[in-house]
Amino acid sequence: MKNSELHSFSVKEQTKDIKSKLEPNKILIYDAIMGSGKTTSAIERMRLYSTIGQKFIFVTPFLEEINRVQDKLDSIIETPVSKHEFDILNVYSSGTKKYSYKNKRDSYIDLLSQNKNIATTHSLFGSLSVGDASLFKDYILIIDEAINPITLFEFGARDIEILFNEQLISKDVRTNKINVTDRQYKDNSFKEVLNFCRQDNVYLNNNTFISHFPIEIMNACKQVEILTYLFDSSLMAYYFKLKGCNYSFLTKLDEKSIKVKIKNNLNIYEGSRNQNKRSKTAFSKNNLTKKSKQERKKIKDKISYVFRYEFRTGSNHSAFTTFKEIKSKYAGKGYTKGFIPINARATNEFSHKKSMAYIGNRYLNPAILSFFKEKGIKINQDYWALSELIQWIWRGCIRNDEKMNLYIPSNRMRNLLISWLND
């Protein structure tokens, strides 16, 4: 449940006499447009927290953002947070540079047990379980960009039948919650799916196992701060609704004037290379996957044409995206090296890009929609798709208050953006 009262971003007000003002289980949403200073404000709060001995955990999507925040903290904290306390979470197995889940997670738990200040990624934070909740009781948790609290594992219907018949798993007929029945099973045949099902809060929806993040982690914290934009469109907001969590918004921005500035800086292509039929599913993942080689070539030719003749930018300043699984099928001359993941956020690595092409039309996985629907929660897919699009656009030079070209051939996605700008 959300509290609609709006507060300011005042750092001093937030941290004044903080030890006496912290409220257990309080969730604060710093909801403001990208580039408005949410992370900078959070760094200042972390500095103030450190001066009173209040421990904090900072969670961000990318490793490079951890390093940036760490450097900022080291420059403003009189007794800076030890680099060891941050960098230990970036451990790789020796020699191969291969991701080592066990080493990283164990290091994370070890730091929590030592009550250290910690910066980590969304991915590693998502590996926590209910049993870890007690380690968070002394912490303020700061999450940069709303996390995805839902994880899917799609499995074949016949294989799921075998899991039940062999009594490897069982299901609560009322809630569809899954339990691993045979804890001694060692065979590799179902090792991966059984490891997934051993997580907390795993449910079965048709042929998809669904796990959601243990709310006990956030409930254990002294306070939770989430830095994002359009929070109500995120899966995290629906997750809080599912769990009955209360939260309050904090903002003070004149968003209307910000949108006017963005609109003036954005050159949105409106020519004949856009989708010519008003189909809601055109450029969706399923639609793009099923296209023939000839159809894919036509799309690639349109992208190249727009970059070369409409936007007139070279490969160094051009960027595109599509769904990861079909990236290679839509890569083309003059823009391939500028690929930005379709779910990119919280990074300024691509802020030099002056022209961007969004080859996608976002919809949530039907299993997620069905899962929430069964709980009586309906998700607004247009709102979610819009927030994902805005986050991606903001990776380009528009974040620097510069002019930027944008090609979105999907009618649905383009019109969602234009409606948001016009508001």
Side-chain angles (χ1 to χ4, degrees):
M1 303 289 290
K2 65 181 178 181
N3 181 339
S4 60
E5 182 182 358
L6 301 180
H7 305 271
S8 75
F9 270 174
S10 172
V11 173
K12 290 184 178 179
E13 182 180 323
Q14 289 293 310
T15 51
K16 184 180 179 182
D17 300 325
I18 195 164
K19 285 186 176 180
S20 62
K21 287 190 174 184
L22 283 175
E23 300 178 25
N25 308 339
K26 187 169 184 179
I27 301 174
L28 305 176
I29 313 297
Y30 289 77
D31 194 312
I33 201 163
M34 297 73 64
S36 58
K38 297 188 296 295
T39 304
T40 300
S41 177
I43 291 171
E44 176 66 13
R45 288 197 302 279
M46 284 187 273
R47 182 189 71 80
L48 292 172
Y49 294 154
S50 71
T51 63
I52 61 172
Q54 172 58 55
K55 297 302 179 180
F56 58 84
I57 298 171
F58 182 75
V59 185
T60 187
F62 299 105
L63 290 173
E64 58 264 29
E65 186 66 5
I66 290 178
N67 296 328
R68 186 180 77 85
V69 170
Q70 175 192 315
D71 289 342
K72 290 282 188 180
L73 283 172
D74 284 350
S75 68
I76 59 179
I77 295 179
E78 291 184 10
T79 305
V81 178
S82 166
K83 285 183 179 294
H84 175 72
E85 293 175 15
F86 284 105
D87 286 351
I88 196 170
L89 298 180
N90 303 339
V91 174
Y92 290 85
S93 58
S94 59
T96 63
K97 294 292 183 181
K98 185 178 180 181
Y99 177 77
S100 176
Y101 171 87
K102 185 178 186 298
N103 287 345
K104 286 189 175 185
R105 190 183 187 284
D106 287 353
S107 296
Y108 194 0
I109 299 302
D110 184 50
L111 290 174
L112 285 168
S113 64
Q114 295 177 50
N115 202 28
K116 301 289 188 180
N117 293 318
I118 303 169
T120 187
T121 61
H122 281 198
S123 177
L124 190 53
F125 182 69
S127 70
L128 297 168
S129 64
V130 171
D132 302 321
S134 62
L135 298 171
F136 285 78
K137 61 184 178 65
D138 295 323
Y139 281 102
I140 290 179
L141 176 63
I142 304 170
I143 302 176
D144 190 9
E145 297 299 342
I147 64 170
N148 180 2
I150 307 297
T151 308
L152 303 181
F153 193 109
E154 296 182 275
F155 212 51
R158 176 60 181 148
D159 290 327
I160 292 176
E161 186 178 336
I162 293 173
L163 289 173
F164 282 115
N165 290 342
E166 295 297 321
Q167 298 183 346
L168 298 176
I169 63 173
S170 62
K171 181 178 71 171
D172 185 313
V173 294
R174 185 176 60 86
T175 64
N176 286 336
K177 188 173 182 179
I178 295 295
N179 291 304
V180 176
T181 310
D182 188 347
R183 296 278 175 178
Q184 305 303 316
Y185 182 82
K186 301 292 184 182
D187 196 293
N188 286 329
S189 301
F190 296 108
K191 182 179 179 180
E192 193 174 1
V193 66
L194 289 176
N195 282 341
F196 184 88
C197 290
R198 287 189 180 98
Q199 298 180 90
D200 304 311
N201 306 314
V202 177
Y203 299 80
L204 182 62
N205 186 282
N206 295 323
N207 297 329
T208 303
F209 293 101
I210 301 175
S211 172
H212 52 86
F213 185 81
I215 195 63
E216 291 84 355
I217 298 288
M218 295 189 187
N219 287 342
C221 296
K222 282 188 174 181
Q223 185 166 285
V224 178
E225 303 174 5
I226 300 173
L227 325 175
T228 191
Y229 181 53
L230 299 181
F231 177 76
D232 277 340
S233 71
S234 70
L235 284 179
M236 199 172 190
Y238 293 107
Y239 164 76
F240 281 166
K241 186 175 182 179
L242 176 68
K243 297 297 183 179
C245 297
N246 295 312
Y247 54 89
S248 300
F249 283 96
L250 294 93
T251 186
K252 65 173 185 178
L253 297 173
D254 178 7
E255 190 169 293
K256 186 174 182 180
S257 63
I258 294 174
K259 285 184 180 180
V260 170
K261 182 181 289 188
I262 295 172
K263 186 176 180 180
N264 290 336
N265 279 338
L266 268 184
N267 170 34
I268 302 174
Y269 176 77
E270 295 277 16
S272 61
R273 267 71 183 178
N274 282 328
Q275 172 189 341
N276 55 19
K277 293 182 180 179
R278 292 193 173 275
S279 166
K280 286 190 175 182
T281 59
F283 291 93
S284 66
K285 185 176 181 180
N286 189 47
N287 175 265
L288 289 172
T289 301
K290 290 181 176 180
K291 288 191 179 300
S292 66
K293 187 175 182 179
Q294 291 75 18
E295 289 173 320
R296 294 198 301 270
K297 184 179 183 304
K298 287 182 180 179
I299 291 175
K300 291 192 290 184
D301 288 345
K302 289 178 180 179
I303 300 170
S304 294
Y305 177 91
V306 171
F307 276 133
R308 184 174 181 180
Y309 296 107
E310 297 290 342
F311 298 160
R312 299 180 183 276
T313 47
S315 59
N316 288 340
H317 293 105
S318 299
F320 91 107
T321 196
T322 191
F323 302 97
K324 181 181 178 181
E325 296 83 352
I326 54 175
K327 168 188 170 183
S328 61
K329 295 182 178 180
Y330 288 92
K333 185 177 180 180
Y335 62 86
T336 298
K337 292 182 180 179
F339 179 78
I340 303 175
I342 202 165
N343 60 348
R345 56 183 62 221
T347 177
N348 58 9
E349 181 183 353
F350 310 101
S351 60
H352 61 289
K353 299 296 184 180
K354 300 181 182 299
S355 297
M356 303 176 75
Y358 190 91
I359 314 303
N361 184 7
R362 303 295 301 280
Y363 287 97
L364 281 164
N365 188 299
I368 293 178
L369 295 175
S370 179
F371 171 76
F372 279 101
K373 186 177 180 180
E374 287 178 357
K375 310 293 184 182
I377 299 172
K378 185 178 180 181
I379 294 178
N380 185 328
Q381 292 223 67
D382 282 351
Y383 195 20
W384 174 81
L386 171 64
S387 67
E388 291 289 301
L389 172 61
I390 293 171
Q391 286 285 354
W392 187 83
I393 291 170
W394 213 256
R395 298 317 105 211
C397 70
I398 190 76
R399 67 184 294 117
N400 302 328
D401 195 21
E402 298 173 10
K403 299 284 185 181
M404 194 177 89
N405 304 306
L406 190 58
Y407 175 46
I408 310 177
S410 162
N411 276 328
R412 172 177 175 255
M413 298 300 290
R414 188 173 63 258
N415 288 330
L416 284 174
L417 176 64
I418 292 171
S419 295
W420 173 77
L421 288 170
N422 293 331
D423 199 29

